[in-house]
Amino acid sequence: MQLSCPNCGATYQVPDDAIGPNGRKIRCRACENSWFEPGQAAPPAPPMTPPPVSPIPISMPASGSPVAETDGAAAREKPPRRRRGPWLLLGLVILVVILGGVAATVLMGPQQVVSRLGLSERRVPLGIAITREPDWRMIAGGSQLFAVSGRIWNPTNVEQPVPDIRAELKDAQGRTVYHWTITRPVPKLAPGASANFDGAAVDVPAASAKVNVTFAGD
């Protein structure tokens, strides 16, 4: 900037920031005159303008509603919805099966339902009973022999196969303490026919109180 002495008119070239915004006292070298040179206010700062914002392009889907296009790295895809149709159908099928089983049990009885489903073992349609008091005796060598005799019969009107016989010895509380298999007396029984059987066991437990006989298939 340029300064001029108000007394002699001498001019001086000084830097722009030599005076400062508050001004300062100046002395002329030519005439020794002093004066106060006011400072210059700093030019106002230009107004701040927001940076231009680029519009977000949109694309129109087939449905007609606008959808904003965003960067693929920032976009979050919504997880696909789980289809409930197959699971709902499976649940309905299970419910129908359960209700059908309950209804069949009520109408036919549990035994008939189990029999038709093949869940129960086939019971032997033969009768069996002990016909003589079991015999306890001592044999050579000091061993104890237990003998049982009985009869089997066919109460049906068709020929029936005869399975082997299972003999069980029980204690006073009804618990099985010993058992063995008695070979069948005949392979088959005609309608209304019967057959006798005999079985024996050696050194049975002393806690035996009673004997029970059944068919091996029951």
Side-chain angles (χ1 to χ4, degrees):
M1 62 179 302
Q2 188 176 9
L3 299 178
S4 298
C5 177
N7 184 39
C8 66
T11 60
Y12 303 94
Q13 190 72 28
V14 297
D16 293 341
D17 57 353
I19 303 301
N22 298 325
R24 66 182 298 178
K25 190 175 183 180
I26 305 298
R27 186 177 64 177
C28 179
R29 292 183 179 181
C31 64
E32 299 296 329
N33 178 44
S34 296
W35 77 93
F36 182 81
E37 181 69 27
Q40 295 181 355
M48 296 293 293
T49 58
V53 178
S54 301
I56 299 176
I58 60 175
S59 62
M60 188 67 68
S63 61
S65 58
V67 178
E69 294 181 351
T70 57
D71 187 5
R76 295 182 180 179
E77 297 182 357
K78 293 183 178 180
R81 294 183 178 179
R82 296 180 179 179
R83 297 182 177 180
R84 299 181 180 179
W87 294 106
L88 182 59
L89 181 59
L90 179 60
L92 291 176
V93 171
I94 295 175
L95 180 60
V96 170
V97 172
I98 294 175
L99 293 178
V102 173
T105 303
V106 173
L107 294 176
M108 296 187 298
Q111 294 296 335
Q112 291 292 334
V113 173
V114 173
S115 176
R116 293 196 177 189
L117 292 177
L119 300 178
S120 62
E121 296 181 355
R122 180 180 178 272
R123 296 186 63 84
V124 178
L126 299 176
I128 185 170
I130 296 176
T131 57
R132 190 171 57 186
E133 189 71 21
D135 185 18
W136 296 80
R137 68 180 71 174
M138 299 297 295
I139 60 177
S143 298
Q144 189 176 27
L145 176 69
F146 178 83
V148 60
S149 300
R151 184 174 67 91
I152 59 175
W153 65 92
N154 180 7
T156 69
N157 56 0
V158 295
E159 186 180 60
Q160 297 291 342
V162 178
D164 289 335
I165 300 167
R166 175 185 173 91
E168 293 181 341
L169 294 177
K170 299 180 180 293
D171 60 12
Q173 287 75 35
R175 296 173 297 190
T176 300
V177 294
Y178 187 79
H179 67 86
W180 77 98
T181 301
I182 302 173
T183 304
R184 60 185 180 177
V186 292
K188 296 181 181 180
L189 276 180
S194 64
N196 296 323
F197 67 88
D198 295 292
V202 180
D203 292 334
V204 298
S208 303
K210 58 182 178 179
V211 62
N212 183 44
V213 290
T214 59
F215 289 107
D218 281 349

